[in-house]
Amino acid sequence: MHLINGVGVISTAAVPVVMISACSLLSLAFYNRMAAIVSRLRSLQRECIEHQEKLYAQRDSRYPDQMLGRRTVQLIAMQRLQTRGVLRRARFLQLALGCVLAAIGIFVICCLSLELYAFEGANETLGIVSATLFLVACLVVFTGVCFALAEMRCALEPITQESALVEDMVRQFDGRQAAQDPAAHT
């Protein structure tokens, strides 16, 4: 009877181990997404500094181009907006990653409690603790996945905003070109 019970506990303990493996894959994906976000954040900050320098050079110019100045101001504003959005995404990913890593820890404790359960001769209290730990870990993974979904939902906002800004700039430029050269558009 003890051999069958031990085999059952070991096979039951395999489920948390599989979940640990799944969580490890999720955390790897989240770390990769976080690295991409950090890279994007750094490039946004460099671009913002470049546009700031261009704006100051334009303002100090002998013949400042008002249109170029407005565009540069718009680009700086867009980059600030995008930076806030990217930081928000990074926070969601940080929470998702934290949940997945916490779940791995809870699954490990669950495995240990299952092994104690086997050695203690199917102690009912340890069985309840193991089952509770498993359920808590699953809920923590689910929470992490929800944070990842929230991050994904925010992923297209910067591109949508940037596209709208570029379309607006092109319309302004086309309007400026038409005003300077009315014969070209007739």
Side-chain angles (χ1 to χ4, degrees):
M1 185 72 172
H2 286 287
L3 180 62
I4 294 172
N5 190 20
V7 170
V9 169
I10 289 171
S11 65
T12 303
V15 173
V17 170
V18 169
M19 292 299 290
I20 289 170
S21 179
C23 287
S24 297
L25 287 172
L26 280 174
S27 64
L28 178 64
F30 293 160
Y31 272 121
N32 286 338
R33 285 186 68 78
M34 183 69 84
I37 285 175
V38 167
S39 177
R40 178 64 182 137
L41 206 58
R42 286 184 176 146
S43 69
L44 271 172
Q45 291 169 345
R46 279 192 301 272
E47 289 172 21
C48 192
I49 289 171
E50 289 171 7
H51 287 299
Q52 201 75 37
E53 289 171 351
K54 186 189 297 183
L55 181 64
Y56 290 138
Q58 174 69 19
R59 286 181 180 166
D60 291 341
S61 167
R62 194 174 220 179
Y63 305 103
D65 183 345
Q66 297 299 320
M67 177 72 119
L68 181 61
R70 279 195 307 273
R71 279 187 169 191
T72 306
V73 168
Q74 287 176 318
L75 286 171
I76 292 169
M78 177 56 60
Q79 286 167 328
R80 287 182 178 156
L81 185 65
Q82 285 184 349
T83 298
R84 284 193 298 273
V86 171
L87 282 171
R88 191 169 103 209
R89 286 179 56 204
R91 283 187 208 100
F92 279 134
L93 266 180
Q94 183 182 28
L95 290 168
L97 191 53
C99 286
V100 170
L101 293 175
I104 289 173
I106 297 169
F107 281 130
V108 167
I109 295 169
C110 178
C111 288
L112 292 173
S113 69
L114 283 169
E115 292 306 314
L116 282 175
Y117 175 78
F119 289 124
E120 290 290 320
N123 181 331
E124 187 177 332
T125 305
L126 281 173
I128 292 170
V129 167
S130 298
T132 303
L133 286 170
F134 185 81
L135 288 175
V136 167
C138 287
L139 287 173
V140 172
V141 170
F142 179 74
T143 304
V145 169
C146 288
F147 283 127
L149 286 171
E151 184 271 331
M152 273 183 37
R153 190 167 175 228
C154 298
L156 291 179
E157 283 178 18
I159 292 165
T160 305
Q161 294 164 347
E162 191 170 334
S163 294
L165 177 66
V166 169
E167 285 178 27
D168 186 49
M169 287 180 163
V170 167
R171 273 193 302 269
Q172 289 175 7
F173 184 76
D174 287 345
R176 182 180 179 187
Q177 289 296 99
Q180 289 178 351
D181 190 14
H185 293 289
T186 56

